[in-house]
Amino acid sequence: MKLVIINYGAGNIKSIQFAFKRLGINAVLSNDPDEILAADKIIFPGVGEASSAMAMLENSGLDKLIPKLKQPVLGICLGMQLLCESTEEGNTKGLGIFRTKVKRFTNDVKVPQMGWNVIKDLKSDLFSGIKDNEYMYLVHSYYAEHCNETIAKTDYGINYASALQHNNFYGVQFHPEKSSLAGAKILQNFLDL
Amino acid sequence: MLTKRIIPCLDIKDGRTVKGINFVDLRDAGDPVELAKQYADIGADELVFLDISATLEARATTLDMVLRVAEQVNIPFTVGGGISSIKDVDALLQCGADKVSINSSAVKRPELVNELSDKFGSQCVVVAIDAKEIDGQWKVHLAGGSIPTEIDLFEWAKEVEKRGAGEILFTSMNHDGTKNGFANKALARLSEELNIPIIASGGAGNTQHFIDTFKEGKSDAALAASVFHFGEIPISNLKKELKENNIEVRL
């Protein structure tokens, strides 16, 4: 199993690498197109601001490479949002894999949403063995609207897509690497896809 | 529904866990990595490490500790203490910290909050505020509570929110170490006037205090140290009781 975590300068990738290490997998950090293409599975991470993260992807040419990937790809947090059509954060155009838009939470809830919330209506092998209403750790100010690619739902003021899937592309808004044993199970499921 | 969070705080000096009673006396409460793992296993929602080391050598030890915690612990954690630059934060995040908390350095140079949230995102910038109520006025204190200022707690909290803080960690010096409960009036006012999460700190002595700070204090999270470190309040029992009192928690 060759697992690559795309390293384009956005976010806390150490935590993801350590989470896989706890599962016995040595994930490689890389922004090298050849190395990414040769991987069995790919993690597309992201923490921080959308427009600057997208600029980093464009500078490295990864914005062209990622949509062409055929292996299972898992976008985490901002990584998932960048796989959508667009995000209101910094008025950023996304990679357009998931046919949905990312919007900011309105101020009737505290923003960012920070902490543990449940995911439900789970619809993917990614969640095999995960019970409905399992707790996941989330930190975000923007959310993906539902579309027919929604594979998990969460309530925070509104009901939104906390996970998406389109063919080989998976996206999760929560941080499985920080979500205790249930999060580790989701990462293991991704490895087993 | 988003749950209320229970956060043990581990004070770190020279790579070991300590807890100041009223910020002065220190007691040893074990190895930070072992303690962190135990807390994650018994249901803590997050952890805060506060580095109270005085020397640069000791801070290097802290980075090593952060790396070991990130390696072994599967819940989020924040590191605070002596952070005053983008470089400090970058080093901690590179070692696997999820968030950093800044305190005196933000008061000395408020632009730091903007710089950190622009560079790393609001979600990893916690602004810690130590304040003391004196004649009905909540005044911000610096350097672990030892230096009083004329800055008003609520004004300061609103300013750091505007500057990009993702969360406020408010410690009431009147309550810290007393085990008489959290500063719920001030906490509720913070929660009403701000739109970012508020962590209550200072005063936890029993389970009822946690119920009160979530209900009356409208806190989003509650932080404590000695009651957890010395087993006075087992976290799993605490969370069960919170649930029985209709407070949403992760069980």
Side-chain angles (χ1 to χ4, degrees), chain A residues 1 3 18 20-21 25 28 66 102 110 140 144 163 170 181 184:
Chain A
M1 164 71 63
L3 179 70
F18 283 144
F20 281 109
K21 200 173 158 193
I25 297 286
V28 178
I66 292 170
V102 176
K110 287 192 176 186
H140 60 126
Y170 298 78
L181 296 176

Side-chain angles (χ1 to χ4, degrees), chain A residues 12 14-15 18 21-22 47-48 107 109-117 135 137 139 156 178-181, chain B residues 1-3 5 45-46 70-71 73-76 94 96-99 123 167 191 195-196 220 249-250:
Chain A
N12 183 347
K14 211 77 180 179
S15 296
F18 283 144
K21 200 173 158 193
R22 291 193 291 271
V47 170
N107 281 339
V109 287
K110 287 192 176 186
V111 183
Q113 165 167 231
M114 190 175 297
W116 299 80
N117 200 337
Y135 290 101
Y137 186 79
V139 185
Y156 190 60
K178 285 285 164 180
S179 294
S180 197
L181 296 176
Chain B
M1 208 173 142
L2 183 65
T3 62
R5 287 170 281 154
D45 296 304
E46 249 181 82
E71 223 175 335
V73 175
N74 57 13
I75 59 170
Q94 292 288 336
D98 297 285
K99 305 185 235 181
Q123 82 290 332
E167 200 167 29
S191 231
N195 202 46
I196 54 177
D220 298 287
V249 287
R250 176 179 67 109

Side-chain angles (χ1 to χ4, degrees), chain B residues 8-238:
Chain B
C9 176
L10 291 77
D11 286 3
I12 303 297
K13 194 179 182 193
D14 305 324
R16 298 280 297 172
T17 313
V18 287
K19 167 61 190 169
I21 306 297
N22 275 333
F23 289 103
V24 185
D25 303 315
L26 300 176
R27 288 166 76 183
D28 197 339
D31 170 47
V33 180
E34 280 307 305
L35 205 51
K37 265 176 80 173
Q38 271 187 33
Y39 278 132
D41 290 345
I42 60 172
D45 296 304
E46 249 181 82
L47 298 166
V48 168
F49 294 90
L50 190 60
D51 182 10
I52 55 171
S53 304
T55 64
L56 286 174
E57 292 82 359
R59 293 204 182 284
T61 317
T62 304
L63 282 182
D64 178 61
M65 181 211 79
V66 169
L67 198 63
R68 286 187 296 129
V69 171
E71 223 175 335
Q72 299 189 41
V73 175
N74 57 13
I75 59 170
F77 66 98
T78 302
V79 182
I83 297 166
S84 59
S85 69
I86 284 185
K87 207 177 136 213
D88 293 340
V89 174
D90 198 40
L92 288 164
L93 297 182
Q94 292 288 336
C95 287
D98 297 285
K99 305 185 235 181
V100 295
S101 101
I102 53 173
N103 191 334
S104 302
S105 58
V107 176
K108 287 179 195 145
R109 207 172 65 78
E111 298 75 28
L112 180 63
V113 181
N114 305 67
E115 291 166 14
L116 295 180
S117 63
D118 289 348
K119 171 116 178 115
F120 304 106
S122 287
Q123 82 290 332
C124 70
V125 183
V126 182
V127 174
I129 307 176
D130 298 332
K132 191 172 187 177
E133 191 178 25
I134 305 165
D135 300 329
Q137 300 284 316
W138 282 95
K139 298 293 185 191
V140 174
H141 283 57
L142 304 182
S146 58
I147 304 170
T149 74
E150 279 306 304
I151 302 167
D152 176 75
L153 161 66
F154 303 98
E155 292 307 312
W156 176 234
K158 277 183 266 184
E159 179 176 343
V160 298
E161 177 183 32
K162 265 193 212 112
R163 289 180 180 276
E167 200 167 29
I168 302 278
L169 166 54
F170 163 51
T171 302
S172 162
M173 296 174 59
N174 305 71
H175 298 73
D176 198 54
T178 65
K179 299 197 174 178
N180 284 330
F182 294 93
N184 292 327
K185 264 191 190 163
L187 283 159
R189 189 172 154 197
L190 282 172
S191 231
E192 280 154 18
E193 294 187 9
L194 275 74
N195 202 46
I196 54 177
I198 310 290
I199 307 170
S201 159
N206 61 41
T207 303
Q208 187 62 41
H209 295 152
F210 287 89
I211 297 170
D212 293 343
T213 201
F214 291 132
K215 287 194 168 168
E216 292 159 30
K218 300 181 178 169
S219 306
D220 298 287
L223 175 144
S226 57
V227 290
F228 296 145
H229 299 332
F230 297 106
E232 292 162 37
I233 304 180
I235 288 181
S236 48
N237 295 4
L238 170 63

